[in-house]
Amino acid sequence: MILNIFSSRPDHPLGDPKELKRAIAELPLDKSFKAVDEVYGWFESLHQAEGFRVDHLFDVVRQLDEAAQASIRRLSRDYLNPQRLSKNEERRLWSMCYNYWGEVSSLYANCIDRARKNPKDKGSEALKTSLPLAVARLLAARATQLKWVEYRYGPIGEDLWRGLGQPYLAAEAAGFANQPVQLYPAQPGLTSVAQQYLHALIFYSSSMDNLMPIEIELADRLITHFQAGFVFSNDCLRDSVYWVDAASGVPPTRLAKQPGQLLKTQRFFSPGPAPQALNELTRVVERGQVPVDLNLGGEYPPKVLLPVLRHLATYWAPEPPQREHPRHAVKTRIAVLQGFDDCFTVFAGNVARLGKERTAESWVVENVSLGGFGAGVDDLGAEWLKIGVLLCMHPEGGENWVLGVVRRYNKDSDTHASVGIQALSKYAQSVELRARTAGFSATGAVPGIWLREGNTTGETRVVLPPGSFDVRESLEFEYDNRSYLLTPIELAETGSNFEIGHYREHVAD
């Protein structure tokens, strides 16, 4: 320690360029979690380090961050394939990725803040040329944290919005908010501080609480693809759709009317020509094609991509999405069971149903409409609660169970969430389905939940276990002394633990 008084080198191993190079070279890149964990550990130690000139500290953080990118991408892909993960592993991956982006953003912010407070310092002078990159990476890291919060439908605090808006305003005041930079060496194309800020605004404004995590990732990729069409302005233009006060901790919101007071820190944005390009891509994907130049981070079939394209089209439209049915405020309780097996048992109406009913959770319904329910959930310990989960619900005092699916999920806090549920059927019926060629023997029966209303004449829908729908296979079942033949039309929907088949219905007395 005494020798360090006479040394210009920081009191930290990575203050030596050779040690930094060695630490990066020894990262176990074939073990992604361990590699990210090691870089995260270095980040934590750098917060406590003293003696770094600010440009040297930025260079160390920059190189470590670049070295971790391939591993952090692999962890993200693993997280988005939860069927291969236990719940503990899913939580472990989420915590590592979310905390990584928080730690690296904090270090970038520290470098930027030091340079701002001591502009005449040699290190600050040397960092000037790298400030556009430093602030762009800071905003990209915080925007990625925003995405990881949305993966779990958590509340987004004021600190995160201020952490995005204030560095953007500072970069604009310094004159480099629109300066092009390459965010990471392996990342194609150029970006800027303003583009990173706008990306976060578009992402939040696209209502991610209606999408499943993999759909959120696809929406994020599509925003990158179409962002060049968006118009971002200091002024409220005639076609502005959203606005935000970049200095506040308030998220962007629809521009129903101009803000009561116009401030220099307010920014306005609209999709511009992006919806037209989005609609053109949607038509291509509807024909079963996914353009090869569309960077989605992987290969996805059209049936996975289409719901995301249609979702974005709704929220990028000049007019806000209208509710199909008006809501009515209520306060009542519903008993809730989840998953295909429990729902099938309930709608079969047999003795086993009574045992299931005793295990039901109790939720508070806060509003109802012809289309479904809005409910408040206080016990968030249930790992199964997420977008696309099949539910059966029994309103307090009601006569029948209702089949539904979670369409919106948003955590208001760590202990309370708001859940939007679409009602699929008020008169569902469990049936035993058999392939047309199999006859009515007990073998090979497939359980199904028949949705008896809300269908076009001569057609029907059936909820099935995952992987049961086959467009080449007709199904039969008997109900109330009548025989039904179902000829497949299409797979209408795939949820987290079910799928819905769309069929032509033929009835024989």
Side-chain angles (χ1 to χ4, degrees):
M1 287 297 293
I2 295 175
L3 292 176
N4 280 331
I5 296 174
F6 307 101
S7 172
S8 60
R9 185 170 294 166
D11 185 18
H12 190 280
L14 301 188
D16 182 344
K18 291 181 179 178
E19 283 299 306
L20 173 62
K21 187 176 181 180
R22 184 190 60 79
I24 290 173
E26 291 180 356
L27 288 175
L29 299 181
D30 57 333
K31 298 176 181 177
S32 298
F33 190 94
K34 192 172 189 316
V36 174
D37 191 36
E38 285 189 16
V39 173
Y40 180 79
W42 284 120
F43 285 162
E44 286 187 310
S45 70
L46 287 170
H47 276 297
Q48 311 302 322
E50 296 182 358
F52 269 105
R53 220 173 77 168
V54 66
D55 57 324
H56 295 164
L57 177 61
F58 169 73
D59 196 54
V60 170
V61 176
R62 176 189 63 79
Q63 291 189 56
L64 287 170
D65 188 20
E66 290 170 3
Q69 287 306 299
S71 296
I72 198 84
R73 284 196 299 270
R74 281 193 289 271
L75 293 189
S76 301
R77 286 196 294 268
D78 289 345
Y79 179 84
L80 292 170
N81 287 281
Q83 65 270 21
R84 302 187 312 195
L85 302 174
S86 67
K87 288 300 177 184
N88 286 338
E89 183 65 11
E90 188 178 323
R91 281 193 294 268
R92 181 170 171 257
L93 286 179
W94 187 93
S95 296
M96 175 54 73
C97 292
Y98 176 80
N99 290 333
Y100 174 90
W101 291 112
E103 200 71 20
V104 75
S105 70
S106 180
L107 283 167
Y108 284 133
N110 177 268
C111 293
I112 296 161
D113 193 48
R114 280 181 58 185
R116 179 185 61 82
K117 288 178 178 176
N118 301 287
K120 302 299 183 184
D121 183 79
K122 286 184 179 179
S124 301
E125 289 284 352
L127 185 61
K128 273 185 180 178
T129 56
S130 298
L131 278 176
L133 176 62
V135 182
R137 284 204 184 176
L138 166 62
L139 264 64
R142 286 180 173 163
T144 306
Q145 271 200 302
L146 172 65
K147 181 168 67 172
W148 280 90
V149 173
E150 291 284 17
Y151 282 158
R152 298 186 73 177
Y153 313 103
I156 298 161
E158 293 183 359
D159 287 349
L160 185 52
W161 287 116
R162 274 192 286 267
L164 286 161
Q166 291 178 357
Y168 157 73
L169 291 174
E172 190 181 66
F176 61 76
N178 292 298
Q179 183 174 324
V181 295
Q182 185 175 18
L183 196 62
Y184 288 97
Q187 193 165 317
L190 300 177
T191 186
S192 68
V193 172
Q195 287 177 19
Q196 289 299 317
Y197 183 51
L198 177 58
H199 187 105
L201 299 178
I202 299 169
F203 179 86
Y204 181 83
S205 303
S206 299
S207 194
M208 298 298 168
D209 60 351
N210 289 354
L211 299 176
M212 292 184 285
I214 186 60
E215 293 175 323
I216 292 173
E217 172 63 18
L218 288 174
D220 189 52
R221 295 272 182 169
L222 289 166
I223 289 167
T224 300
H225 185 76
F226 290 111
Q227 184 175 332
F230 276 73
V231 178
F232 188 48
S233 173
N234 293 7
D235 302 311
C236 183
L237 306 177
R238 184 176 54 83
D239 58 349
S240 294
V241 178
Y242 294 94
W243 74 281
V244 67
D245 182 355
S248 74
V250 179
T253 186
R254 274 262 177 185
L255 188 65
K257 59 179 181 180
Q258 287 199 12
Q261 183 182 7
L262 292 178
L263 304 172
K264 290 183 178 180
T265 54
Q266 288 168 353
R267 298 294 178 269
F268 302 84
F269 61 103
S270 68
Q276 182 181 348
L278 179 68
N279 290 337
E280 290 171 2
L281 176 60
T282 302
R283 286 193 289 272
V284 170
V285 177
E286 283 173 341
R287 295 196 295 268
Q289 303 166 16
V290 178
V292 292
D293 63 337
L294 184 61
N295 180 12
L296 300 175
E299 294 185 6
Y300 297 92
K303 68 178 182 180
V304 173
L305 187 56
L306 270 175
V308 184
L309 292 167
R310 291 166 180 160
H311 174 89
L312 292 178
T314 298
Y315 287 92
W316 293 358
E319 296 295 326
Q322 300 295 318
R323 296 193 180 278
E324 188 177 353
H325 306 290
R327 287 181 175 185
H328 303 283
V330 297
K331 282 291 181 184
T332 187
R333 288 197 169 271
I334 52 171
V336 179
L337 291 166
Q338 66 87 21
F340 181 86
D341 292 344
D342 283 0
C343 294
F344 180 85
T345 301
V346 165
F347 292 110
N350 53 30
V351 178
R353 166 176 165 172
L354 297 176
K356 291 291 182 187
E357 290 177 2
R358 284 194 286 268
T359 66
E361 294 192 13
S362 179
W363 293 0
V364 176
V365 174
E366 297 170 343
N367 57 75
V368 297
S369 72
L370 289 176
F373 307 87
V377 184
D378 290 320
D379 180 9
L380 299 184
E383 295 286 352
W384 56 263
L385 183 53
K386 55 188 175 182
I387 302 289
V389 167
L390 194 67
L391 304 176
C392 52
M393 302 156 287
H394 188 260
E396 195 173 61
E399 295 182 358
N400 59 300
W401 286 75
V402 177
L403 186 68
V405 62
V406 176
R407 296 299 190 199
R408 178 179 53 79
Y409 178 43
N410 184 35
K411 289 181 183 175
D412 308 314
S413 68
D414 291 337
T415 57
H416 184 271
S418 297
V419 180
I421 306 156
Q422 179 191 0
L424 295 178
S425 178
K426 296 179 182 177
Y427 305 102
Q429 176 63 48
S430 294
V431 293
E432 295 285 346
L433 302 155
R434 296 170 182 83
R436 182 73 171 93
T437 53
F440 281 93
S441 63
T443 352
V446 175
I449 305 174
W450 178 27
L451 306 181
R452 300 171 61 189
E453 78 273 22
N455 301 304
T456 304
T457 303
E459 297 179 3
T460 195
R461 295 166 300 144
V462 181
V463 183
L464 300 163
S468 300
F469 180 83
D470 188 339
V471 74
R472 300 162 300 179
E473 186 174 73
S474 295
L475 299 173
E476 293 178 316
F477 70 92
E478 285 191 345
Y479 177 72
D480 199 19
N481 297 319
R482 304 176 86 182
S483 297
Y484 292 80
L485 173 63
L486 306 181
T487 305
I489 299 174
E490 63 178 351
L491 180 62
E493 179 178 350
T494 300
S496 62
N497 54 3
F498 70 96
E499 57 191 32
I500 299 178
H502 182 197
Y503 297 88
R504 288 188 179 86
E505 181 183 79
H506 309 275
V507 185
D509 292 329

